[in-house]
Amino acid sequence: DLCSGCHQAGGIAPFPLTDSDEISERADLIGAAVQAGVMPPWPPGGRSPAYAGEAERKLTARERAAIVSWADAGGRVDGEAHEPTPERDVQVRRGETLLRLRMEAAYHPQARAGATDDYRCFLVDPQLARDSFGTSVRIEPGQPKVVHHVILFRVDPDQVAEAEGLDADAPGQGWECFGDTGLSLDPSEDSLDDADWVAAWAPGWGGGRLPEGTGVPLEAGSRLVMQVHYNLLNGRAPDRSEALVTVVPFSAKLEPLKTMLLPAPVELPCADGESGPLCDRDAALQELARKYGPEAAFVPTGL
């Protein structure tokens, strides 16, 4: 599943790896990519600190050597290729309830003039009648080719009215949101120290079961915001993503889990020999604001 999470029919990768003949035909390409360390992709550099669970996203030296040797030997595949595990198959443990949270209707991605991205927030109601803990999440994108990533945010009961107002005031389904949900922040809280994230998804990875004995607190009457980033370079197909969430009663007394964000500025200046109006930082920030709203230009300055 490490490869087929992206390399599947309709996925973000340029070709699927779910057919034995196709795998054999691309053996040389697969071997070269694995040997060069290009695949599977792992963006953090060598000086980055270790990540919890990173072993599940990387190949060991022995695994890389085995794949390269297989490719050098002709890339023969015995039997049928392994199909990726459907994300819809969620393990529901004893005492848990499975919630299927789907966007109200299919959304047709769109963007401001000159933009190739659409950041949209959708309000979903888990209909929680009692305080609960979220214990696992699987986010299933409706259109993997255009869904760049999904973040699921918690909306506490005292913020529901504001979220419903944002939804009602915006034309069409959901509302435009860049970076976060657009809900006002409590001045007494640090939004980076406790980001109200429930889960996140990106191609090939995301969601799953939380560490044993932990859960995300969800008060009765809470809502969830599904923030979806659409990249329109692969089209504008209508999307209806959903989240599958397992919950247990608050009486389970799990350790409350919260998400801490550690953002850092990533600014790539024009290289030597490049020129253009957006090589000027101020102009580039103004262009961000035009495409994605004022907050988009504020974030780099704030960082």
Side-chain angles (χ1 to χ4, degrees), residues 257-271:
L257 192 68
K258 66 179 182 180
T259 298
M260 176 183 291
L261 299 183
L262 304 173
V266 179
E267 299 194 24
L268 304 178
C270 290

Side-chain angles (χ1 to χ4, degrees), residues 56-137:
E56 300 174 33
R57 303 295 303 139
K58 299 165 65 177
L59 295 174
T60 65
R62 177 176 294 182
E63 289 169 335
R64 287 187 183 278
I67 292 174
V68 172
S69 296
W70 162 81
D72 290 342
R76 180 181 176 182
V77 177
D78 297 322
E80 293 299 317
H82 170 66
E83 291 288 336
T85 303
E87 293 187 352
R88 191 176 294 276
D89 295 341
V90 177
Q91 180 188 19
V92 182
R93 295 181 177 178
R94 184 175 181 179
E96 292 181 334
T97 300
L98 177 63
L99 308 177
R100 295 186 180 273
L101 307 176
R102 200 176 190 192
M103 291 161 49
E104 190 174 274
Y107 173 71
H108 294 258
Q110 54 191 319
R112 304 186 189 197
T116 57
D117 299 274
D118 181 7
Y119 297 84
R120 201 76 179 176
C121 279
F122 305 94
L123 189 63
V124 294
D125 186 358
Q127 299 183 350
L128 294 173
R130 58 183 178 179
D131 293 348
S132 305
F133 283 107
T135 52
S136 75
V137 180

Side-chain angles (χ1 to χ4, degrees), residues 154-276:
R154 179 182 67 228
V155 180
D156 293 332
D158 59 356
Q159 287 189 301
V160 168
E162 183 184 359
E164 290 176 337
L166 289 174
D167 196 11
D169 293 342
Q173 185 182 182
W175 66 92
E176 186 180 43
C177 56
F178 179 91
D180 55 29
T181 61
L183 294 171
S184 59
L185 301 176
D186 186 334
S188 65
E189 297 180 357
D190 186 339
S191 62
L192 295 181
D193 186 53
D194 189 357
D196 284 336
W197 283 30
V198 177
W201 174 91
W205 184 254
R209 185 159 291 278
L210 301 179
E212 199 67 34
T214 69
V216 176
L218 298 170
E219 292 183 53
S222 296
R223 299 287 193 275
L224 294 173
V225 165
M226 186 185 301
Q227 184 203 48
V228 186
H229 171 195
Y230 297 101
N231 183 278
L232 308 183
L233 295 177
N234 281 334
R236 303 186 180 214
D239 170 67
R240 196 176 182 188
S241 296
E242 67 176 335
L244 295 89
V245 183
T246 57
V247 298
V248 296
F250 209 71
S251 58
K253 297 181 180 180
L254 301 181
E255 183 73 21
L257 192 68
K258 66 179 182 180
T259 298
M260 176 183 291
L261 299 183
L262 304 173
V266 179
E267 299 194 24
L268 304 178
C270 290
D272 292 341
E274 291 183 327
S275 63

